[in-house]
Amino acid sequence: MAKHLLLTALLLGSGLAHADQASHSADEGFTQPLQRLTFVSGPDTFVTASNAAMQVYDPLERWNRSIYQFNYRLDQWVMLPAVQGYVYVTPKPLRTGVSNFFSNLGDVTSLGNSLLQLKGERAMRTTARLLFNTLLGVGGLWDPATAMGLPRQNEDFGQTLGYWGVPSGPFVMIPFLGPSTVRDGFAKYPDTYTQPYRYIDHVPTRNTAFGV
């Protein structure tokens, strides 16, 4: 009987000691998190890595900074109040319909660029998406194609140029449009020829469609 009691006491004592040690180790991890860190001697590795990351090729830096400030103030003083006013006066279902409508028109651009990139399967899926949303979605106001497993797949002329090996060029800020690259910036213009508003003769209507 005494042997059993002694064995039980030893096991209990061993378990408590182990639990206390584990608890102490865990506490150290929370209360002294820097204790287990290992620092590399020599040059400041963090500063060196940070300086290397900051060496971004930006030959248009002065232009980019100026246009960034312009776009920032434009967003702050004009665009954001306009968007807030639009959201305030326009019901959400109508906003969704307008967004879907112009998204559907944008699929024409994606289709053209998919063909230029020789992406046959993507071109067929975009064609099917256009047909479903135009016919079943009442001119694109609804988006049944996404629910049918045909999500939108954006393609633009900048991607087409990249597909055929044209380098992106340096980073550039574009007035009103925001950040881009030289290649993608110039590519925005050819994409406009795939937009229906380009072929509207009535100038005020065309400009309104372009703005939206």
Side-chain angles (χ1 to χ4, degrees):
M1 182 68 178
K3 290 182 179 180
H4 289 293
L5 289 175
L6 180 59
L7 181 60
T8 303
L10 288 173
L11 290 174
L12 182 60
S14 175
L16 290 174
H18 179 74
D20 181 67
Q21 183 180 2
S23 175
H24 182 67
S25 299
D27 288 343
E28 284 183 352
F30 285 103
T31 60
Q32 300 178 11
L34 298 180
Q35 186 175 359
R36 297 177 179 272
L37 289 180
T38 302
F39 293 94
V40 180
S41 60
D44 192 327
T45 307
F46 176 77
V47 173
T48 303
S50 299
N51 288 336
M54 292 299 292
Q55 300 304 314
V56 179
Y57 178 62
D58 189 9
L60 305 174
E61 181 177 0
R62 181 173 295 182
W63 162 272
N64 290 334
R65 289 183 180 277
S66 299
I67 299 304
Y68 172 82
Q69 291 295 330
F70 170 78
N71 286 348
Y72 178 81
R73 297 304 178 189
L74 180 70
D75 286 344
Q76 183 181 25
W77 294 339
V78 179
M79 304 305 295
L80 184 58
V83 169
Q84 290 173 336
Y86 171 72
V87 171
Y88 181 77
V89 302
T90 309
K92 185 175 181 180
L94 182 57
R95 296 199 309 268
T96 301
V98 171
S99 177
N100 288 340
F101 175 79
F102 285 100
S103 176
N104 191 53
L105 295 181
D107 282 339
V108 177
T109 302
S110 296
L111 173 59
N113 283 288
S114 294
L115 292 172
L116 290 175
Q117 296 173 44
L118 307 180
K119 296 179 179 178
E121 180 181 354
R122 176 163 293 192
M124 289 189 291
R125 292 176 66 86
T126 302
T127 301
R129 176 181 168 83
L130 266 169
L131 291 174
F132 286 136
N133 282 350
T134 302
L135 299 176
L136 302 180
V138 191
L141 294 176
W142 286 274
D143 183 15
T146 297
M148 298 168 68
L150 295 170
R152 189 179 188 200
Q153 296 177 306
N154 291 323
E155 297 285 353
D156 56 47
F157 195 62
Q159 292 171 274
T160 298
L161 293 177
Y163 177 84
W164 292 107
V166 178
S168 63
F171 171 82
V172 63
M173 287 291 294
I174 302 176
F176 304 101
L177 300 180
S180 184
T181 63
V182 171
R183 181 193 67 198
D184 292 349
F186 281 110
K188 292 182 185 297
Y189 183 74
D191 277 338
T192 63
Y193 284 93
T194 62
Q195 296 298 312
Y197 73 81
R198 263 282 186 180
Y199 308 100
I200 300 175
D201 293 329
H202 189 250
V203 176
T205 304
R206 181 174 67 229
N207 292 339
T208 301
F210 173 75
V212 174

